[in-house]
Amino acid sequence: MSFLDYVASRWQQLLVDSYQHASMVLQCIVLATIVGVLVGVAVYRSPAGAAVATALSSAVLTVPSFALFGLLIPVLGLGVAPSVVTLVLYALLPIIRNTIVGLSTVDQPVLDAARGIGMNRFRVLTRIELAMAWPGILAGMRVSTQMLMGIAAIAAYAKGPGLGNMIFSGLSGLGSANALNMALAGTLGVIILALLLDGVFVLLGRLTTSRGIRG
Amino acid sequence: MADNNMPAPEDRTNGHGVEIRLEEVSKRYPGQKLAAVESVSMTIPAGETVVLVGPSGSGKTTTMRMINRLIEPTSGRITIGGQDVLNLDPDKLRREIGYSIQQAGLFPHMTVGENVGMVPSLVGWSKQRTTERVDEMLDLVGLDPAEYRKRYPRQLSGGQQQRVGVARALAADPPVLLMDEPFGAVDPITRGVLQDELMRLQADLGKTIVFVTHDFDEAVKLGDRIAVLGERSKILQYDTPDAILANPADDTVAGFVGAGAALKQLTLRRVREIELGQVQTAVVDEDPGAMRDRIGTRRGAIGLVLDHRKRPLRWTTAREAGAVSSLAQAGRPVEDSVSPASTLQDALEAILTDDDGVAVVTGSRGEYIGVVDIDTVMTTIKSLREEYADDSNGDSGSTGPDSAEASS
Amino acid sequence: MSNTFTSDSGSGGAERLRLFAQPVVAAALVVGVLAFAYTQRDNVIIARNVTASTLLTLTWQHFLISLAVAVIVVAIAVPLGVLLSRSWARRVSPLVIGLANIGQAAPSVGLLVLFFLLTNGTTGFWIATLPIAVYALLPVLRNTIVGLQQVDRSLIDAGRGIGMSGAKVLLSVELPLSVPFILAGLRTALVLAVGTASLAWFVGAGGLGELIDTGYKLSNWTVLSVGAVLAMALALLVDWLGGLAERYLSPRGLR
């Protein structure tokens, strides 16, 4: 069967897998953003704290995703849980680092002005600092999303959701007529999905970044 | 010449430099209607410093960079020491031309010594000879070799980096030096120091220097000749600084030279070159009445009270002299004085300080010699302008022997 | 925003922390997990699968794949990067980088499986090494290009101006000044290689991932952990070596 015929005949399954793949990645990104921004806010004032947070999250990136994933299976069981934790951990570095950098580079005069007109600490943080750091944070989310799209394919190893299942089916189906088609569908699916999500992020960036600070 | 290199040191005139000639040199970039540089012709005499000055966009840097073929001319001929540069291999050509740019361009990953020794090693000098030369060059530009040889560029100040840049340009003893706004990126004080150093070096080495700048004051200070360039590097005036200041060829040049041109000329002339006037003088313990009579009733007449060593003390009019019992209180004190070696600019300042249209000139022991008055200064400026008015502007610089000797 | 960070940790303090702590942590992990396995040596499954020779073989395979990938990547990506950074390639280079960026979005396991299937199920060292090398190409390629492009133009002008030939400027000025970038890219590529080599067992090329799979299939979490932790330790070690290279192989005048 040719590749296009294959896709035409299995498009529903592919769509479900794609949706689950993207949905898992995006939920993990949201989680990672919440955790990452909180950590960033907590440590950006302290050089030592920032160094430790950055070092830890970048060390995570060094570790092979398969190894981390595997290690979490005995702890969290099979299915979705080890995938989610792995993905969130991997997504942390770009977000934490960009949060710290973004918050640290807000001009002192701007902060002075905000305090001067009577904003309290919390308001200054949310309405000024985070708002100005937002483009950087969004960029970090974008980078992490790209990373996660590839790593998420591993989830299928432990019966997790996503396009990885297509790839693994292709692997175990060696010799059968559709093995190559399945692997190709899985791989290309991830690539296309990644590009689509990247475009969404660009759009999101344009929409949510105030014109005054757009680069 | 037997080989394709520039004249050997023994063949060069005037010490070390060689003559550079541009003949109808143009640079046209594809797709652009107007040329960047249009048909420039000039002769840069051996051993002289010629400054190309002009506003940005005049193509002065482009013109200079065609000399060492960093930019290839679209048409025209450029010769150095009689050799057509197009006949020489560009890399080899550039090893025989010193090149110094505004950002110094020191390679940050090499030590100062390695930077300065780059061209000698490219040309194939032995390690021993290169090291000696590097030390010699660092010394020449005022940096202690032992201290600076092993340093890295980022450890040096802007002024020091520029010195190393010049040392690197001179390392292989080229007869020609091209400098593109080399002192533009440092503070004014350092710039002045570096300019003085360059003049000192040039006095020793006598190279042919082509210097590009947009700062006319720098051009006046450094140049033996100045080429004021307009759009597309059209030569508006090519002459000695004196001549240009005295007689700007057109409104553009005048505008470039600035309103201070007449004053700038005053820095090129000395008090001893003009005729001094005299006023009535009296020693301080003389009779005021006698002085009043001597000064006379002519309008504006003024006298000078001197001390026993003939040093000027006070200015006084006839009436002021008559009104006092002792000349020690007559009129008002002398505020300023000049010597025969002072420039006319100093004289003008003294005239303005003392408020009467005159300034007193004193000798080596401070004694009164004469006065210089404002009319004499203005007459001198006028005659300078007339002196150069007869020369036409297209002349490539042969303004006669006066121009070289007059400013001393 | 491009996903190029010259140094993955992106902060000086974090960098120094990692340079110091990472080898220590890696060593501790190795010792810890091996001690843990040792206490359970009575267990038949563990005794059979966690032997010295197995561990050494798998680690060696893993290491060899990563090394081969590194060599291939440097041999291809650096010269390619040099070519793409030249002025005549100005129009082509964004295209190539764009293509490579798309390639980076591909799942590494997908590339491995595709290559495996395309070679009709051949297993072995090169079936794993080649697709991993393709995957790891991008960081080095991109960093080489960026590294060369960020060289101050006035230095190249100064170099040509004093009579250095184009080749001499490339070799003596541009490349040395790009080394920090290239090394950073190489470090990222090496980490990617070690990470993806954990999947090499899919195509029969061994590596520590095989131990993880064995543990998983036998539901023996100790065996799984040994494989996983050793793989982590290897990655941390390789990254640490990369960090050392970045710091100490960069030209002195730039540090």
Side-chain angles (χ1 to χ4, degrees), chain C residues 28-118:
Chain C
L29 282 174
V30 171
V31 168
V33 82
L34 288 179
F36 176 60
Y38 189 70
T39 62
Q40 305 197 329
R41 64 186 178 287
D42 308 326
N43 184 316
V44 136
I45 298 179
I46 294 175
R48 195 177 332 145
N49 286 299
V50 185
T51 65
S53 77
T54 317
L55 290 183
L56 282 171
T57 315
L58 293 177
T59 307
W60 176 245
Q61 286 168 337
H62 206 120
F63 174 74
L64 209 58
I65 294 176
S66 310
L67 188 64
V69 166
V71 169
I72 296 175
V73 159
V74 169
I76 296 182
V78 173
L80 188 59
V82 169
L83 284 176
L84 286 176
S85 68
R86 300 296 92 191
S87 46
W88 44 262
R90 191 142 292 157
R91 257 178 269 135
V92 182
S93 67
L95 207 70
V96 174
I97 300 190
L99 267 174
N101 266 320
I102 294 181
Q104 202 65 15
S108 45
V109 63
L111 289 179
L112 270 175
V113 170
L114 277 173
F115 197 67
F116 173 69
L117 291 175
L118 282 170

Side-chain angles (χ1 to χ4, degrees), chain B residues 42-55:
Chain B
M42 65 192 294
T43 302
I44 298 166
E48 289 200 6
T49 305
V50 168
V51 181
L52 305 182
V53 87

Side-chain angles (χ1 to χ4, degrees), chain C residues 190-241:
Chain C
L190 271 171
V191 166
L192 263 176
V194 172
T196 321
S198 324
L199 302 170
W201 62 271
F202 276 134
V203 297
L208 289 163
E210 192 171 292
L211 203 55
I212 300 177
D213 182 53
T214 308
Y216 176 71
K217 293 222 171 72
L218 297 175
S219 293
N220 187 305
W221 307 135
T222 310
V223 174
L224 188 156
S225 306
V226 170
V229 171
L230 284 182
M232 283 185 193
L234 183 61
L236 287 173
L237 202 63
V238 166
D239 179 63
W240 177 67
L241 289 174

Side-chain angles (χ1 to χ4, degrees), chain B residues 336-401:
Chain B
D336 202 355
S337 67
V338 291
S339 72
S342 303
T343 64
L344 289 191
Q345 171 137 342
D346 302 330
L348 189 60
E349 276 167 31
I351 292 172
L352 291 174
T353 307
D354 268 348
D355 216 24
D356 268 314
V358 281
V360 61
V361 183
T362 56
S364 53
R365 275 160 287 117
E367 80 284 14
Y368 165 81
I369 298 181
V371 296
V372 53
D373 73 67
I374 189 82
D375 292 323
T376 319
V377 174
M378 301 323 281
T379 312
T380 310
I381 296 180
K382 195 160 165 245
S383 72
L384 272 173
R385 294 171 72 95
E386 282 164 14
E387 190 183 313
Y388 289 110
D390 293 334
D391 294 341
S392 51
N393 291 324
D395 207 326
S396 48
S398 48
T399 46

Side-chain angles (χ1 to χ4, degrees), chain B residues 65 68 70 90-92 94-95 97 99 101 103-110 115 118-119 122 152 154 168-169, chain C residues 152 154-166 168-169 171-174 176-177 251-255:
Chain B
R65 284 158 65 93
N68 69 351
L70 277 177
D91 291 329
K92 290 220 184 81
R94 293 179 203 133
R95 289 172 205 163
I97 297 179
Y99 185 60
I101 58 178
Q103 309 92 321
L106 299 183
F107 306 129
H109 60 300
M110 298 185 190
N115 265 285
M118 176 56 71
V119 185
L122 279 177
Y152 285 95
R154 68 187 162 97
R168 182 173 69 179
Chain C
D152 191 346
S154 73
L155 293 177
I156 300 177
D157 183 61
R160 291 313 306 268
I162 65 177
M164 295 167 85
S165 68
K168 177 89 176 152
V169 168
L171 290 173
S172 302
V173 180
E174 294 182 79
L177 290 176
R252 269 203 69 203
L254 295 180
R255 265 183 249 145

Side-chain angles (χ1 to χ4, degrees), chain A residues 54 58 62 64 70 97 157 168, chain C residues 5 9 18 198 202 213 224 239:
Chain A
T54 314
S58 62
T62 328
R97 190 191 52 194
Y157 180 72
F168 280 98
Chain C
F5 2 99
S9 64
R18 289 176 70 192
S198 324
F202 276 134
D213 182 53
L224 188 156
D239 179 63

